[in-house]
Amino acid sequence: MSKGASGDYEQLLALHHAMQLRRSLRNDGPPPPGQTRRRPTEYPQRHEDQQLMLASLEMITSSADEVVRSFYAQMFLGRPYLRNLFPANLRADSDRLFSALIGLAESLDRLDEMVPHLAQLGRDHRKYGIRPAHYDAVRDALVSALREHAGIAWGPDHEAAWRRAYDFAAAVMQSSEAASTDPPYWQGTVVAHERRHDTIAVLRVRTDVAYPYRAGQYATIESPRVPRTWRQYSMATAPRSDGVLEFHVRAVELGQVSNALVGHTIRLGPAMGTAILDKPSQAPLLVVGGGTGLAPCRAVVEEVLAGQPGRTVQFVVGVRHTDEFYDMTALTALGRRYPALTLLPAVSDDPDFPGPRGALPDLVAASGPWSDHEIYVSGPPAMIHAMDRVLRSMDVQPASIHHDPAPA
């Protein structure tokens, strides 16, 4: 797409969202074709469909990459205009797409969790310029790719189940999109950059208008140097009066986007994530952060202590090596302000560290019980899965454990 054509497209997209906002404020006329203002919440045959979908995933013997390549080939066949909605490197999205498929199949029996998540996705997908017809193209390509790689065991019932589940998810997303009055994305400028470690930087961003979020949530961020490539970064502070957002970026893992952020204007999608502490509680709080998972943990601790300065909070920060404690100055200052906060640094791979040593799940298991605590966890997926198992084995109620879903 040429620079001029891209500018025209952005202007048309902005006009579309302005008209959508005015329509929602005036509530005049019917919703756009293919959209509904009422979010669907009923799915009578979801249990039967879930069994069929999980069974069909068991039929697939190809690698995730092969299924995803087939999906994109099917989607772009006859629809080359859709290619501009995706990043130049399609492989970057393959694991995410396959995880989403498994997540859709596994969560059909938990609509109370799935529907709010889909609603967030619907609001978030507006940043791509998604239209109702695009949902149909994705569904058809998805079903075709699954059919191709499931082999002869695939039948009409499997296909019908995937179509019903996908259409339900799409209807939730589109209803949320139609009802949203927020902009599809926010413009932000990187106003400060501080290298704290060889692979970790702290970025501070000021948005053009106020960016609404809750402590514990994350934003998807796009750099103009890497268009259509969005990456997730958690906000590292509770909302501040000056409107500045702080992000902790691991440059090696996040590659080209993180390396392109410094000194540039960026775009931020709507705040995402449901791992927030939204109900007042006097229960003691355990917060466990691994690596740059420290960022949302710090935001949650700030929010809780600002609102409940006397609430007991234990904050466990885990890294592999001592030099990876990149945010200790801010955390120590937080501890000085709030005597109810106990900060517990832990290291897994440094035998000379004088404090607790070992993997975070093992350390938490050894220092319980935690059944009377509310618990917030953030970090690598393997750590979150292990922490879940440990906490549940210690009779911590699932409702007391807060984290966003970790990839399977």
Side-chain angles (χ1 to χ4, degrees), residues 10 18 33 44 62 77 102 146 157-159 163 165 210 276 278 321 341 364 387 389 393 395-396:
E10 294 291 344
S62 305
L77 183 64
I102 297 173
L146 292 173
D157 289 346
H158 300 104
E159 179 159 337
R163 286 184 176 274
I276 58 176
D278 56 352
H321 301 281
L341 171 64
V364 168
M387 196 69 69
R389 289 193 299 270
S393 72
D395 297 323
V396 178

Side-chain angles (χ1 to χ4, degrees), residues 292-323:
T292 50
L294 158 68
C297 291
R298 181 180 133 193
V300 165
V301 170
E302 283 188 3
E303 180 180 79
V304 168
L305 291 176
Q308 300 174 283
R311 185 177 179 184
T312 301
V313 178
Q314 295 191 61
F315 189 0
V316 183
V317 180
V319 297
R320 291 174 300 173
H321 301 281
T322 307
D323 64 351

Side-chain angles (χ1 to χ4, degrees), residues 117-246:
H117 177 65
L118 290 171
Q120 282 193 346
L121 285 178
R123 293 190 292 273
D124 181 67
H125 273 53
R126 294 176 305 139
K127 70 192 180 192
Y128 299 110
I130 300 294
R131 299 291 177 266
H134 298 158
Y135 283 92
D136 293 343
V138 171
R139 178 199 58 217
D140 294 343
L142 168 63
V143 171
S144 294
L146 292 173
R147 184 195 309 121
E148 176 184 347
H149 290 274
I152 59 174
W154 175 277
D157 289 346
H158 300 104
E159 179 159 337
W162 276 102
R163 286 184 176 274
R164 279 191 296 266
Y166 180 92
D167 286 344
F168 175 85
V172 174
M173 292 173 66
Q174 290 180 72
S175 66
S176 177
E177 175 187 351
S180 179
T181 57
D182 284 332
Y185 53 80
W186 284 253
Q187 297 281 357
T189 302
V190 179
V191 295
H193 163 259
E194 184 180 350
R195 197 69 173 242
R196 298 277 183 85
H197 182 266
D198 289 345
T199 62
I200 298 174
V202 171
L203 302 177
R204 293 184 179 87
V205 176
R206 178 173 284 112
T207 53
D208 53 351
V209 294
Y211 183 82
Y213 74 97
R214 287 288 308 277
Q217 291 190 302
Y218 60 89
T220 53
I221 293 179
E222 179 203 47
S223 164
R225 291 177 57 182
V226 194
R228 302 183 300 280
T229 299
W230 297 78
R231 291 292 179 263
Q232 298 174 359
Y233 299 82
S234 294
M235 280 68 76
T237 62
R240 295 166 34 159
S241 58
D242 63 4
V244 173
L245 310 174
E246 181 175 310

